[in-house]
Amino acid sequence: MGLSEKYKNQIYAGVLGKMIGVYLGRPVEGWPYQSIIERFGDVPYYVHEELNLPLIVADDDLSGTFAFFRAMEDNGYPKNLTARQIGDTWLNYIIEDRSILWWGGLGNATEHTAYLHLKNGIPAPDSGSMEKNGPVLSQQIGAQIFMDAYAMMCPGDPEYADYLVRACASVSHDGIAVDAAGFLGAMEAAAFDQRNLEKLFDENVRFIQTEELSALVDNVRNICKAESDWRKVRERLDEKYGYHIYPGPCHMVPNHAMVLASLLCAGDDFAESVKIGASAAWDTDCNAGNVGCLNGIRLGIEGIESGPDFRGPVADRLLVITSDGGEGISDAVKETKRIVRAAEAVRGIEGEERRERFAFEYPGSVQGFTVCPYVEYPKCTPKISNGNEIGAGNGLRLNFDILAEGMNAHVSVATFLDIHEEYRNYETYVSPTLYTGQTVTVRADCPREDGPDMRPYIWYADRNGQLQRTDGEWIRLSSKGTVLAWNIPDNGGLPVLRFGLEFSSVKRYRGDVFIRSIDWSNTPRCLNQEGIMMRDMWDTNPFWAKMFVASAKSFSPNLNCTYCISHDEPGGLATIGTRDFTDYTVSSMLKFSLHKRGGLAARSAGHRRYYAAVVSGGDTFQIIKHRDGKETVLAEGSVHYAQFVKYPMKFTLCGNKLEASFGEVTIMAEDKEDAYLCGAAGYVVDEGAVFIDGFHLEKK
């Protein structure tokens, strides 16, 4: 018996609430309070378009929350997960100087400082300690903004939430920052069973460990009781807890006070609570995100849907930017299922999880599907919702006003970055989720026996960055159900941007079509990039090359070969693919320059957990396993090679059996202990450069 449907739906609502709050507050983050008032008054709804900003962006609040939570999965769901294990997860997934964190420098940015400590061998929780970082840096806001997923995996168990949240927070913070995060995490866990806000406070102040935080909570509650206008509350909080009192770029105390005030002033009004969090200045996306998460849990989907349509524009979409690029294009259901899986695993219970990529099993979920943005002048625009909202079962519901010949409709989902989108604030690195050579399976039905026609398609970007489309065959839908299977044709290894479905009807069709599930998985049959793909010596970062996620200092197309990877210290990687990639062979022609070691990487789930076939010293050939800074040599042989001479290298993985060849030399290994069974492929280099001719990946 798995986690209850009630708890599952509340976790989903918490994830949605977190996303909504972040997207609401993101455009005005860092604005002075008066500037928000002058420009918008309140921020009751998304204002990104007014500022010419995208809605769905790479954000540290969301990326950190869901990336750092993977410590649970990556360590086998231990009940007593430690700060050290979470710190190792930081190192595995963070791409230094590029993503997730504010890279403000040592002694300025709290998380950057903690990351540098971790990188230099200082483990968590010492990495975030006040002793190491001082009382100012260690008590900024980050402890609070990354903890929500850990709290949500503890429905009805605030004690456990307090433990996990403090472990998470202590990687980078200390003092009242950790205390406030623990208190808020306990409240989120308790909110699964306690809807009354005052009782929620009363029952969870027991988790507070410092007199400073206890006094703050009492003061905020008293101020909110005394004032009916949230702006008056904000004014009084500024006088007592404002940024001018607490040093550092973004101190915990003012923001925690504002989170609590947003909850108390809004009562049971979800929309009002996130509006206050986004309108009150200070760290608007962080605060509104925490408020949205707690109230999403407490008030449920019904609470989120009681005000403006926050869900429609978001459509469940989010980005989780890590070195595990194939997990970057995500959605609220996917992250919910990850949390549910962890909650069930630590309780020792078996879940009944749907395995399809898109099963639309949560209330109103659409998992990123929208009207296709690449189709100009659509003749028919369906209304997109979920069949479970009208009692028609789980499934993407497409309601057509008039579908007829010459009036086709299109829906699609992102499988990579939008070629037209400008990604600001944080650099955005992901790998595609869909590849040519994979098979997409769609299950659909409609109320009529003789329904409309449907065909699949993909949009991809060619070498010049131009949009191209490839279509599958038409198939007739019916009330008996239809299964469509389409093998994605080869396009030269270029990025698939979107998967979509087109609908047409010879006879006028009004009404619904239900997409019950869509799935693709496992290794592509063949993924090839050949020759020199670069067209212009000045275009060193063409769009199609962004499908590789690189933690190396330099990874780019080359005018003399396909790619070049260069790194001036150990551990430079560039990978492509997803955790769907299981058994495969990856191969290239390689030549080396000034390198200490280099070669092929495989089954990478982050850039500190992977296998590699590497050569070093001019005479050594190895298969190695890298795990959180520990390296194990699984096989070794002798070779002879020279700098700037091209050699063929091949790396094959089947289950726990590994085989690598370099020239005429082959070595084999069997990983009998905690083998990696899936993950991305690519290249690794230590202190030097590797020039790459061709990238070839073939399913075994």
Side-chain angles (χ1 to χ4, degrees), residues 224-401:
C224 291
K225 287 177 182 177
E227 303 285 356
S228 58
D229 184 347
W230 74 263
R231 292 195 182 277
K232 292 287 183 80
V233 171
R234 202 269 181 198
E235 184 179 320
R236 291 182 61 178
L237 292 180
D238 185 49
E239 292 173 358
K240 191 171 184 64
Y241 300 114
Y243 273 17
H244 60 287
I245 297 173
Y246 289 87
C250 197
H251 203 279
M252 171 67 89
V253 167
N255 290 290
H256 190 75
M258 201 63 242
V259 166
L260 302 183
S262 299
L263 294 166
L264 291 165
C265 290
D268 291 344
D269 189 330
F270 176 90
E272 180 72 5
S273 71
V274 291
K275 180 198 80 174
I276 296 171
S279 304
W282 296 333
D283 204 334
T284 50
D285 60 337
C286 301
N287 295 345
N290 284 138
V291 169
C293 183
L294 192 150
N295 268 348
I297 297 166
R298 187 173 70 91
L299 304 174
I301 295 293
E302 302 81 5
I304 294 174
E305 293 185 336
S306 64
D309 178 19
F310 290 120
R311 296 181 68 186
V314 172
D316 288 328
R317 297 170 294 166
L318 79 154
L319 298 167
V320 182
I321 308 304
T322 72
S323 58
D324 188 5
E327 298 292 293
I329 304 292
S330 190
D331 63 74
V333 172
K334 184 176 181 178
E335 300 304 328
T336 295
K337 291 165 74 170
R338 225 180 205 123
I339 297 169
V340 170
R341 194 179 307 125
E344 292 175 338
V346 298
R347 287 163 173 77
I349 57 179
E350 289 289 330
E352 299 178 356
E353 179 185 303
R354 292 285 299 271
R355 296 295 181 181
E356 300 96 333
R357 183 174 294 271
F358 303 102
F360 311 105
E361 63 262 57
Y362 282 87
S365 61
V366 299
Q367 292 194 253
F369 277 84
T370 64
V371 173
C372 187
Y374 295 163
V375 177
E376 296 184 346
Y377 313 115
K379 300 298 190 296
C380 176
T381 302
K383 295 178 181 177
I384 301 174
S385 58
N386 196 306
N388 57 34
E389 295 177 288
I390 60 168
N394 297 334
L396 190 71
R397 180 193 178 201
L398 308 176
N399 181 261
F400 303 101
D401 184 30

Side-chain angles (χ1 to χ4, degrees), residues 582-599:
T582 53
D583 295 346
Y584 56 81
T585 294
V586 58
S587 60
S588 292
M589 297 291 293
L590 305 178
K591 61 181 178 181
F592 306 90
S593 174
L594 300 177
H595 87 298
K596 182 178 180 180
R597 186 171 64 179

Side-chain angles (χ1 to χ4, degrees), residues 4-26:
S4 71
E5 288 301 307
K6 173 182 176 292
Y7 280 169
K8 288 180 180 179
N9 289 341
Q10 285 177 288
I11 292 172
Y12 176 58
V15 172
L16 279 177
K18 174 83 172 183
M19 294 163 57
I20 290 165
V22 169
Y23 295 145
L24 197 68
R26 181 65 169 156

Side-chain angles (χ1 to χ4, degrees), residues 463-464 532-542 544 556-560:
R463 294 188 183 188
N464 297 314
I532 298 171
M533 300 178 67
M534 194 173 174
R535 293 288 184 255
D536 183 345
M537 68 176 296
W538 303 111
D539 186 13
T540 59
N541 190 30
W544 55 262
S556 64
N558 193 276
L559 280 174
N560 296 308

